[in-house]
Amino acid sequence: MPGSLCRLKMFWQRYGYWIKLAVSGALLVLLVVKVDTKLLMQSVRSLPWWYMPVAAWMYALAQTIATIRWWLISPGTRLGRLIYVTFSTQHLLFLIPSSLTTDVVRVVESQSSEHDSLSRIAGVVIDKVIGLSILTVLFGIAVWLDNDVMVPKTVQQPLAISAIVLGLIPMLVINLQPSKTVVSRIVLNLYRVFPSRTRARLGLVDDITQSLLTTLSYPIRTLSNTLLAVLGQVLSAATYLLFGLVFGFSITIEQCLFVSTAAQLFALLPVGIAGIGVRDASLVAMLASFGISPSVAFAASISGYPVTVAFAAGAWVMSMRRR
């Protein structure tokens, strides 16, 4: 059994990226086949001239908010440096099959010493926990407010309460003087995810734990990070209001919150590259349940890709100039 697991791990390390890329491509092709291509192209061509600049501004703002959150819980770092690292590594979202690996690369890119590296790692871990907790809580709230039978009535309240409680627990651990035992166990489990070569570069788990505890000793910073995480989710939900405006469909604020948080949770599934395909399929299904044409929903979903690709291309150019 251990030998089989080892071979499976080696197989995934070698071919995992290509498998995920194939899944993303297959889902996109399936969507193209299923929707009305004529209506899809008509919806794309009807985009106003100002849509792309506004979408680019919202994307840049979202990335900046994410970077400020990282900076807040990485004491002693320069915000300008972290912003540069964030925008110069956008292409990694398409080249690396795991967002966790992308975060590790960004830590390495921004470090100046071993201690600095541990501080960055601590900041990234806490930042991710806070972000996922806020996402889970807001998803629970969106489910609770759901009046469109997106979620069966029999499981609506249990699902909402479970999501809210699940999201609040990490927030309490982070903001209410967490015990070293809890933090140590969390770090140890996360630490085991990385291969031995990466763990050697990250340092000892005890050192990382101490860096986490040191970072958590700044409650104002963690609270500010939490508030910015909420702001980031509001911005994400506002994207769907923008979709409704430019593609001519009606969507409520509650629906925006539900679709935004649910699509992000689906995108976390490790079955595609950067959530491509998975997010699109889930978005089309959810918007269709609101009475929106699948073709229009798919057009809205892919309308942001030119912006993402443009930022990724710019990041690739920046990375080439550094070499």
Side-chain angles (χ1 to χ4, degrees):
M1 182 65 71
S4 299
L5 290 176
C6 184
R7 286 193 295 271
L8 180 60
K9 181 179 180 181
M10 292 178 62
F11 175 84
W12 185 253
Q13 288 177 345
R14 178 174 296 182
Y15 301 108
Y17 175 83
W18 301 107
I19 293 174
K20 288 186 175 184
L21 183 62
V23 170
S24 290
L27 287 173
L28 288 178
V29 170
L30 181 62
L31 286 170
V32 171
V33 171
K34 290 294 184 180
V35 302
D36 184 338
T37 308
K38 183 178 180 179
L39 180 57
L40 171 65
M41 297 306 299
Q42 180 181 345
S43 299
V44 173
R45 286 196 296 266
S46 67
L47 286 172
W49 65 268
W50 50 265
Y51 172 74
M52 288 301 173
V54 171
W57 175 79
M58 293 179 71
Y59 183 88
L61 180 58
Q63 295 299 317
T64 302
I65 290 174
T67 307
I68 293 174
R69 289 180 53 213
W70 182 17
W71 170 70
L72 280 169
I73 49 180
S74 301
T77 60
R78 292 187 296 110
L79 178 59
R81 173 61 181 168
L82 296 186
I83 288 178
Y84 175 81
V85 169
T86 295
F87 282 96
S88 65
T89 55
Q90 291 295 307
H91 60 300
L92 297 179
L93 296 174
F94 298 94
L95 300 178
I96 297 178
S98 170
S99 60
L100 189 61
T101 309
T102 303
D103 292 327
V104 172
V105 173
R106 287 175 175 171
V107 167
V108 174
E109 288 282 337
S110 63
Q111 72 181 19
S112 59
S113 66
E114 181 178 353
H115 179 270
D116 190 47
S117 174
L118 293 177
S119 176
R120 298 286 200 282
I121 294 169
V124 167
V125 170
I126 296 170
D127 177 73
K128 292 301 179 184
V129 171
I130 291 176
L132 186 57
S133 298
I134 292 298
L135 174 61
T136 306
V137 169
L138 291 180
F139 171 73
I141 293 174
V143 171
W144 187 279
L145 297 175
D146 174 32
N147 294 317
D148 300 286
V149 201
M150 274 294 297
V151 178
K153 291 296 183 181
T154 54
V155 300
Q156 181 178 6
Q157 287 193 359
L159 177 61
I161 294 173
S162 299
I164 293 172
V165 172
L166 185 63
L168 285 178
I169 290 175
M171 297 305 304
L172 294 176
V173 172
I174 288 174
N175 289 290
L176 297 180
Q177 297 297 319
S179 69
K180 186 171 182 178
T181 301
V182 173
V183 173
S184 299
R185 289 180 178 175
I186 293 174
V187 174
L188 183 60
N189 289 327
L190 290 174
Y191 196 74
R192 290 172 175 170
V193 173
F194 299 105
S196 57
R197 185 178 303 177
T198 304
R199 291 201 297 265
R201 296 194 65 179
L202 295 178
L204 298 175
V205 66
D206 290 338
D207 295 334
I208 298 176
T209 300
Q210 189 56 49
S211 295
L212 275 172
L213 293 172
T214 300
T215 303
L216 290 173
S217 64
Y218 298 92
I220 299 300
R221 288 178 176 268
T222 56
L223 178 60
S224 300
N225 181 288
T226 302
L227 295 177
L228 282 176
V230 175
L231 178 61
Q233 289 299 328
V234 170
L235 180 63
S236 178
T239 302
Y240 295 90
L241 290 176
L242 177 63
F243 287 161
L245 177 63
V246 299
F247 288 100
F249 59 79
S250 177
I251 187 169
T252 66
I253 295 176
E254 293 85 356
Q255 290 171 340
C256 287
L257 182 61
F258 181 90
V259 174
S260 173
T261 53
Q264 290 178 73
L265 289 172
F266 277 117
L268 291 175
L269 296 174
V271 293
I273 299 295
I276 297 174
V278 180
R279 181 179 57 247
D280 300 294
S282 62
L283 180 60
V284 169
M286 287 185 288
L287 291 180
S289 70
F290 298 149
I292 300 168
S293 166
S295 301
V296 175
F298 187 41
S301 180
I302 64 175
S303 66
Y305 284 141
V307 171
T308 307
V309 171
F311 274 90
W316 180 77
V317 172
M318 294 170 68
S319 67
M320 294 302 292
R321 286 182 175 180
R322 292 201 308 269
R323 296 179 180 179

